[in-house]
Amino acid sequence: MRNLGLDILRFIACSLVIFRHVQGPENFNIFIQTLKKGGWIGVDLFFVLSGFLIASLLFKEHKASGSIDLKRFLIRRGFKIYPAFWIFTLFSIAISFYFKQVPSITNIANELLFIQNYRPGIFFWSHTWSLAVEEHFYIGLAIVFALLMKYRPANNFNLIPAIFVCIAIGCLYLRWSNLTHAEVYFYWQHLFLTHLRIDSLCFGVFISYLVHFKKLAIPSRPPLVLGTILLGIIFLSPAFLFEVSENKNILIYGVILFYLGSGLLILGALKLERSTNSILNFIGTLGTASYSIYLWHLFVNVHVVAQVKKIIPSPGPLSYISIYIIGSFLVGWIMNRMIEQPLLLLRDSLFKNKKDLNSFSGHSSPFSLPSQEL
C-alpha cells in the first residue's frame, strides 16, 4: 500500500542528515565533505514530504466521507511520534546519569513539550528541533482545517493556495528581519525556529492540494519524470556549494529553492509506485524506518562510535564513517521494529483508517507497513 518512490526519498533525506553530522577533517574526502556541507537540507525534504503526506491523508478522508475527524488524526499522529520519542528521551536521560551529567528538569520539559527549538539547552540532542517544528505544524494544520470546514462548508480548501502564499511571504520576511537583527550566525536562531521554517511544510500541503483538487500530475513519460527530478536536484544544489553559516542568501532565500526542489522530487518520485528491483526495495524498506533512524543517529555517532574506539583506538576516517552510517541505519531499523511497528499496529486496531485512507498508492509492498504516514 506504500509508494516506493516516497520511501526512497525518506531514505535520501535521512542519509543527508546523517552525512551532515559526520565528524572528521575538512580535507578528508571531497565527496563526504560536500554531503556534509549540504546534508542539512535533508530536514527540508522531510518537511515537504510530511506536509504533502499528512495533507493527502486528510484530503482523502474528506473526499471519502465529506468530513475530517481531526481528533482521530491527532491521536494517530501521537501514536506515531510520541512513544518512540519518549523512549529515546528516557534512554538519553539514563545515559546522562550514567556519565554523571544530570539533566535539568527544564531541558527535559522543553523536549517533552516540543518547545526545544525555542529554548535550546546543553543536554539534549540538537536534532530534535525538527520534531518541534513538525509538532507545531500538526496542531496548526488541524486548527486551520477545522476553521475551513466550519466557515467554508461549500469550498473547504479553496483558500489553501492563498494561505500558503501568505505564510511563505511571512516566513520570508521573518527570515530577513531575523538576520538583520542577528547578523552573527547561530544554528538555533537562524534555522531551528518554527516561524522561520514552517513554509516548507505548508508547501507540501499546497502540492497535495494541487494533486488532489487540481489534478496536478507529472506525465508518465520517463524523460519528463527524469527532467522533473533533475530540476529538483538543481534547486537543491546551492546547499552543497555554499556553507549555510557563511551565506545570508541561503538563510533567507535558499530555503525557498530547497522546498521547491523537494516538491519537484516528490512529484517525480510518485511515479515509482513499486519495483521488482531488490536494491530499490531494500532502500525503500530502510526509508520506512526513517523516523527511528533520524532519532537515534546522533546517539550512534556519539556513544556507539565511542565504544568502538575503545576496541579500535585509532580507527581511520573510512572505518569511522562506516561504523557511524551502518550503525545509524541498523540501530534505527531495530528501534523501528521494536517500538514503532507494534505501536502502529495497536494504533491501527484502535483507530482504523476509513477504507485505508492512509495509503497514497494502490499497491502494496511485502517489505512495508500498510501505512504511508511519516
Side-chain angles (χ1 to χ4, degrees):
M1 310 297 287
R2 302 185 68 98
N3 181 287
L4 177 61
L6 297 183
D7 284 332
I8 291 174
L9 282 187
R10 286 191 179 100
F11 171 84
I12 292 171
C14 203
S15 298
L16 287 172
V17 174
I18 288 173
F19 275 107
R20 176 63 178 177
H21 295 132
V22 164
Q23 300 173 0
E26 294 298 322
N27 60 350
F28 163 60
N29 180 296
I30 187 63
F31 176 72
I32 298 296
Q33 290 304 322
T34 299
L35 289 176
K36 177 178 171 64
K37 181 184 294 184
W40 64 279
I41 62 167
V43 173
D44 292 71
L45 181 52
F46 271 131
F47 282 167
V48 182
L49 264 170
S50 183
F52 176 80
L53 288 169
I54 294 303
S56 294
L57 293 173
L58 299 178
F59 290 150
K60 285 189 170 188
E61 181 177 348
H62 189 271
K63 282 184 173 182
S65 64
S67 64
I68 298 175
D69 188 340
L70 293 172
K71 178 181 178 181
R72 176 177 157 280
F73 159 70
L74 291 173
I75 290 173
R76 286 179 61 85
R77 281 286 84 201
F79 267 90
K80 171 65 177 177
I81 301 298
Y82 299 152
F85 179 66
W86 289 338
I87 291 173
F88 173 73
T89 301
L90 286 173
F91 201 87
S92 298
I93 293 171
I95 288 292
S96 70
F97 274 101
Y98 177 79
F99 287 107
K100 298 181 174 20
Q101 297 173 351
V102 180
S104 71
I105 298 298
T106 299
N107 281 341
I108 295 174
N110 290 342
E111 295 285 325
L112 296 180
L113 294 174
F114 292 98
I115 57 174
Q116 62 267 52
N117 60 329
Y118 283 94
R119 296 175 60 83
I122 60 173
F123 161 68
F124 276 94
W125 306 100
S126 61
H127 66 301
T128 61
W129 70 271
S130 66
L131 305 185
V133 175
E134 293 221 18
E135 193 66 20
H136 303 161
F137 164 73
Y138 298 144
I139 296 171
L141 187 68
I143 293 171
V144 170
F145 274 35
L147 292 173
L148 289 176
M149 288 187 293
K150 180 177 181 179
Y151 294 106
R152 293 182 63 85
N155 300 290
N156 293 123
F157 305 115
N158 287 355
L159 282 179
I160 284 179
I163 293 172
F164 165 68
V165 170
C166 290
I167 291 174
I169 293 174
C171 287
L172 175 62
Y173 170 76
L174 290 171
R175 286 193 294 268
W176 173 82
S177 176
N178 180 66
L179 198 61
T180 58
H181 289 90
E183 293 188 0
V184 178
Y185 177 79
F186 192 49
Y187 283 107
W188 78 266
Q189 192 165 5
H190 292 97
L191 283 178
F192 292 0
L193 305 180
T194 300
H195 63 276
L196 304 180
R197 305 303 303 281
I198 203 167
D199 50 343
S200 298
L201 288 137
C202 293
F203 183 65
V205 177
F206 176 60
I207 295 176
S208 181
Y209 167 80
L210 295 179
V211 169
H212 286 277
F213 295 100
K214 300 301 179 182
K215 299 180 179 180
L216 173 67
I218 301 300
S220 298
R221 286 184 294 174
L224 292 176
V225 175
L226 292 175
T228 301
I229 294 173
L230 178 60
L231 185 58
I233 293 172
I234 291 172
F235 279 12
L236 295 175
S237 62
F240 301 92
L241 300 175
F242 306 101
E243 179 58 54
V244 60
S245 61
E246 300 172 359
N247 194 300
K248 293 183 179 180
N249 289 324
I250 292 290
L251 290 167
I252 299 174
Y253 309 106
V255 291
I256 299 175
L257 273 181
F258 303 152
Y259 68 64
L260 290 174
S262 298
L264 289 169
L265 291 182
I266 290 171
L267 293 176
L270 286 173
K271 294 301 179 181
L272 183 60
E273 294 185 357
R274 58 181 176 178
S275 173
T276 58
N277 187 295
S278 58
I279 296 177
L280 291 180
N281 282 312
F282 176 71
I283 291 173
T285 301
L286 291 176
T288 66
S290 59
Y291 176 48
S292 287
I293 294 168
Y294 181 84
L295 271 180
W296 289 90
H297 79 280
L298 278 185
F299 173 86
V300 173
N301 200 11
V302 173
H303 294 296
V304 174
V305 171
Q307 294 306 310
V308 172
K309 285 182 177 179
K310 292 180 180 180
I311 303 172
I312 310 173
S314 299
L318 184 59
S319 297
Y320 153 69
I321 289 175
S322 300
I323 294 166
Y324 166 44
I325 294 175
I326 294 173
S328 295
F329 280 103
L330 181 59
V331 171
W333 173 264
I334 292 171
M335 292 301 176
N336 172 266
R337 265 33 189 181
M338 290 179 59
I339 301 169
E340 280 191 78
Q341 287 203 19
L343 284 164
L344 291 181
L345 291 173
L346 175 63
R347 177 197 71 178
D348 290 342
S349 68
L350 296 174
F351 304 95
K352 293 181 179 179
N353 272 316
K354 302 173 184 177
K355 297 182 181 180
D356 198 31
L357 294 171
N358 59 329
S359 64
F360 191 87
S361 159
H363 301 290
S364 62
S365 167
F367 298 94
S368 307
L369 285 172
S371 170
Q372 186 67 58
E373 293 183 47
L374 285 170

